[in-house]
Amino acid sequence: MDFTAIKKYPNQISTAFKRFPLASLFAVFSTIAFLIVCESFNIPSEQSARFILWLAIYPIAAMLIALNTSLVQEALKNRNPKIQAITGIAWFVISWLIVLYPNTLNDYEMSQTIGALVFIYTTIFLGLFVAPFFKQKNENAFWVHLTKTVKSLVVATIVAGLLLLAMELLFLGFFGLFGFTDPSERPFLYIFIFCTSTVLPLLFFSTLPTIDECLETTPTSSKFVTSICQFLFIPVLAVSIALFYCYILKFFIIQDIPYEVIIWLVVTFMVFMLALNIVMYPSRLNPNPTLEKKVLKIFPIAIFPLVLLMTLSIFQLMADEIDELIIYLIATNIFFYIAIAILLIKKIECKSKYMAIAFCAILLIVCVGPLSAPNSINYVWQNKIKNELTKQGYTEFPLNEASTEKFIQTLRNNNDSDSRKILSYMLSTSNSENASVSKYFSTERSLEDIDRLVRDAMEKSASEDTTEIFDTFEANISNVNQNALKIPQGVKQAFFINLDFDNDDFQYRGDTLSFLITITDDQDTSKHSTYDFRITKQELEIDSLNTIETDSAIIGIRELHTEQWSKTGRSLRIDGLLFIK
């Protein structure tokens, strides 16, 4: 990019205001909205908090919707302002419904809200490329628009970044000139917001190609891109797939199949292959038979067995436990089947359009509505809890407090993994007002009091222990090599812990030590999660022991000391890290 191009930006920005007036106004409004959000840390009421949340989610989506509408109108040669008004009002109403709907203390409702926002923003973003050329019979204009739009975004980001750097340095020099040794961070935050929320979008709008320009341009790849694809990306993907097939054969021979590794490798291959199909689209237009055209046809066929293997791996993981990640992986797997089918069917000319539609449709299903991931998980756990209740002979719901305590105690006494998972799920949802749990139980304060019931059940079981004679026990573990502090795979949070347990929080039953750890939310003390751990005395006597694991958490042990010297005399102290899966 030369200085001559930079000199044209003022005129181009004024042109952007004329071409995308509403989107440009929302770009300016975004800065104002985000400045208000940054100044509203001490929120006086819930109504004010919801307004601040609305300011955080509304402007950017409104700007992209206005831009989308302008591009579609440009393609249709229709400048009727009513269309902009309809789409703008629709998003205004939807945004307020999203903000007003959830109870911020209800994890389920918040997950539904986040899912709706993910779907809306993803659909709007894909619409920038697909919507203006929805009626085209081929992907030529789409591909030209995509490549030029990406180039415009990269250039705008670089220019906005340089402007941000220059303004930050200017303010630093200004503060140094006037002797401000400890300047406030706010001016630099304001500059960042201005450059990213207003300058960057306006620069982006100013260099967007016109629809007519995209329709009239023939898709062609540069020699550099073609060479990179031919001599780097295609060989790397081909060799990777071949090696993966070899590893799969090895896994089946040794009967040790890493299902999670297989899933994520297949996801990587599919994303790489889809990106390669988009980048090499001009090669598909070549009337002559070329190596690139053959490769683009072979890759979907070569990856199809791997997608089948991904399906089998997902079913294997479901046999152990099903969570929201499994639902998202199932949806991803279904999309891969659809994408491969679209790539292999010759009659489908606009492949990217149909893949975008399929992706948005699947995203809508898993993020919003009765089949969303949170709802699906609720259905699964609701059935598991109901089956366990039926198994224990309960037929009338909700249970009273005494029956609830008895049910919890029975789950604790069972040594099977299903019982531990059900109890862990009940503990994890005790403060989320989860209907799949609360419909079966009734306590003084609904399930908010379930932690007390678990503790009562533990204390009761301890008092009923009829063991008369037992040997004293002591275990002392110290991991000076810090191996326990390495973060395990699949964790989403970690907390330092240094706990001296009360007698109510742990107990010895036979050869098993069981204890509870409760983590309280720093911002909302009414929200907390409790994790139930069990470990045998034999395991505690292993000097190299560095972790204690349950279905939803792992303790990385730095130091552990526990002792039992009489029927009621016992102690437990743990220092280390608590990893939440």
Side-chain angles (χ1 to χ4, degrees):
M1 182 176 62
D2 56 17
F3 289 103
T4 305
I6 295 177
K7 291 178 181 179
K8 295 180 181 179
Y9 271 118
N11 290 331
Q12 290 177 329
I13 290 175
S14 64
T15 304
F17 268 97
K18 295 177 182 178
R19 185 182 175 195
F20 308 113
L22 193 57
S24 300
L25 287 175
F26 276 122
V28 177
F29 175 66
S30 297
T31 294
I32 300 173
F34 293 145
L35 290 178
I36 295 174
V37 171
C38 290
E39 291 296 327
S40 304
F41 292 108
N42 298 320
I43 301 173
S45 65
E46 183 178 351
Q47 290 76 12
S48 299
R50 290 184 185 275
F51 176 69
I52 297 303
L53 176 61
W54 178 80
L55 285 177
I57 69 171
Y58 174 75
I60 297 298
M63 177 182 66
L64 294 176
I65 289 172
L67 178 62
N68 255 319
T69 306
S70 295
L71 291 173
V72 171
Q73 286 186 282
E74 190 175 312
L76 298 175
K77 309 295 184 184
N78 183 352
R79 289 290 183 178
N80 191 340
K82 291 182 180 179
I83 300 177
Q84 283 281 10
I86 292 172
T87 56
I89 293 173
W91 168 236
F92 181 83
V93 173
I94 292 172
S95 64
W96 272 112
L97 291 175
I98 290 174
V99 168
L100 295 175
Y101 162 71
N103 175 1
T104 54
L105 299 179
N106 189 315
D107 294 340
Y108 169 74
E109 291 184 4
M110 288 302 297
S111 67
Q112 290 284 295
T113 301
I114 294 171
L117 288 174
V118 169
F119 166 72
I120 289 171
Y121 272 87
T122 304
T123 304
I124 294 170
F125 177 75
L126 293 177
L128 287 174
F129 307 103
V130 176
F133 311 101
F134 195 80
K135 292 186 177 181
Q136 296 297 314
K137 296 181 179 180
N138 56 50
E139 293 184 292
N140 293 2
F142 159 80
W143 190 87
V144 173
H145 178 69
L146 173 65
T147 53
K148 291 192 175 185
T149 299
V150 171
K151 180 181 177 181
S152 298
L153 181 59
V154 171
V155 172
T157 302
I158 292 173
V159 175
L162 292 174
L163 178 62
L164 171 63
L165 179 62
M167 293 180 70
E168 300 273 8
L169 292 175
L170 180 64
F171 266 79
L172 277 176
F174 175 81
F175 288 136
L177 179 64
F178 289 95
F180 293 99
T181 57
D182 189 19
S184 171
E185 297 177 354
R186 288 193 176 184
F188 300 100
L189 177 61
Y190 296 161
I191 293 170
F192 176 80
I193 291 174
F194 172 70
C195 289
T196 54
S197 301
T198 298
V199 176
L200 175 59
L202 291 178
L203 292 175
F204 175 59
F205 298 161
S206 67
T207 54
L208 275 177
T210 64
I211 300 300
D212 289 338
E213 180 184 349
C214 296
L215 293 172
E216 295 169 359
T217 304
T218 302
T220 54
S221 294
S222 65
K223 292 183 179 180
F224 174 76
V225 173
T226 303
S227 300
I228 288 292
C229 291
Q230 285 179 343
F231 302 110
L232 181 60
F233 293 149
I234 291 177
V236 166
L237 183 58
V239 172
S240 299
I241 292 174
L243 286 174
F244 190 47
Y245 273 108
C246 296
Y247 274 109
I248 290 171
L249 183 61
K250 174 186 174 182
F251 294 148
F252 277 106
I253 291 175
I254 64 177
Q255 294 296 307
D256 183 16
I257 304 174
Y259 296 109
E260 291 186 7
V261 174
I262 289 174
I263 289 171
W264 292 113
L265 281 176
V266 174
V267 170
T268 303
F269 291 151
M270 277 297 300
V271 171
F272 198 102
M273 189 264 291
L274 292 175
L276 200 61
N277 266 273
I278 293 175
V279 172
M280 297 188 65
Y281 172 74
S283 300
R284 296 191 347 227
L285 302 178
N286 193 335
N288 301 319
T290 61
L291 176 63
E292 292 79 10
K293 291 181 69 174
K294 292 180 181 179
V295 166
L296 291 177
K297 293 180 180 179
I298 292 173
F299 274 154
I301 299 173
I303 293 180
F304 180 72
L306 302 182
V307 176
L308 285 173
L309 186 60
M310 177 183 175
T311 305
L312 297 176
S313 300
I314 291 173
F315 280 117
Q316 288 295 328
L317 294 180
M318 288 175 61
D320 297 329
E321 184 176 1
I322 182 169
D323 54 18
E324 290 187 24
L325 178 60
I326 296 293
I327 303 298
Y328 294 130
L329 288 175
I330 292 172
T332 303
N333 191 234
I334 293 172
F335 170 72
F336 287 166
Y337 283 116
I338 296 173
I340 289 175
I342 291 172
L343 290 174
L344 294 177
I345 298 175
K346 294 182 179 180
K347 293 183 178 180
I348 300 178
E349 293 290 339
C350 301
K351 300 181 184 298
S352 299
K353 177 178 74 174
Y354 289 105
M355 279 193 277
I357 293 172
F359 182 82
C360 290
I362 293 173
L363 191 64
L364 175 64
I365 293 172
V366 298
C367 289
V368 185
L371 295 180
S372 65
N375 274 333
S376 299
I377 295 302
N378 283 338
Y379 296 150
V380 170
W381 282 108
Q382 184 174 331
N383 287 332
K384 286 187 176 181
I385 292 172
K386 185 177 180 180
N387 291 338
E388 184 64 29
L389 286 165
T390 304
K391 182 179 177 182
Q392 294 189 24
Y394 298 104
T395 56
E396 296 184 2
F397 309 110
L399 304 184
N400 58 32
E401 187 168 331
S403 297
T404 301
E405 186 175 340
K406 183 179 179 182
F407 175 71
I408 292 171
Q409 180 57 45
T410 304
L411 290 177
R412 287 192 54 79
N413 292 337
N414 293 339
N415 289 322
D416 60 289
S417 61
D418 288 340
S419 296
R420 291 196 297 270
K421 288 176 182 178
I422 291 173
L423 183 57
S424 177
Y425 179 76
M426 290 171 62
L427 289 170
S428 67
T429 58
S430 60
N431 286 296
S432 64
E433 301 179 18
N434 195 308
S436 66
V437 177
S438 60
K439 67 184 292 185
Y440 293 116
F441 306 100
S442 176
T443 65
E444 291 179 355
R445 292 183 294 151
S446 187
L447 284 182
E448 292 180 4
D449 211 24
I450 196 169
D451 287 342
R452 179 184 60 78
L453 293 178
V454 174
R455 295 177 194 278
D456 290 347
M458 289 179 65
E459 187 174 332
K460 184 177 180 181
S461 66
S463 65
E464 292 175 352
D465 194 345
T466 58
T467 304
E468 295 295 334
I469 301 175
F470 59 87
D471 296 328
T472 60
F473 174 76
E474 183 177 5
N476 192 23
I477 299 171
S478 179
N479 292 309
V480 295
N481 58 6
Q482 302 294 309
N483 285 338
L485 302 184
K486 291 183 179 179
I487 300 177
Q489 293 184 350
V491 302
K492 61 181 181 180
Q493 286 181 292
F495 301 92
F496 284 103
I497 56 172
N498 190 354
L499 303 172
D500 282 306
F501 288 78
D502 295 331
N503 281 1
D504 292 339
D505 293 331
F506 77 101
Q507 67 168 324
Y508 280 97
R509 296 201 65 208
D511 288 337
T512 302
L513 167 66
S514 58
F515 58 92
L516 300 173
I517 294 181
T518 300
I519 298 296
T520 302
D521 194 309
D522 293 334
Q523 298 180 351
D524 186 354
T525 55
S526 66
K527 296 179 64 177
H528 57 272
S529 300
T530 303
Y531 303 94
D532 186 7
F533 292 90
R534 297 184 186 188
I535 188 169
T536 63
K537 291 181 178 179
Q538 290 80 5
E539 291 174 303
L540 288 170
E541 290 175 340
I542 301 173
D543 293 335
S544 59
L545 178 71
N546 54 26
T547 60
I548 302 175
E549 185 169 354
T550 187
D551 296 310
S552 56
I554 301 173
I555 296 176
I557 303 170
R558 182 184 293 157
E559 290 185 352
L560 183 149
H561 179 81
T562 182
E563 189 174 358
Q564 184 186 26
W565 57 87
S566 68
K567 182 179 291 188
T568 58
R570 57 187 184 271
S571 67
L572 174 63
R573 187 178 70 82
I574 300 177
D575 178 20
L577 278 171
L578 176 65
F579 301 104
I580 310 301
K581 295 182 181 179

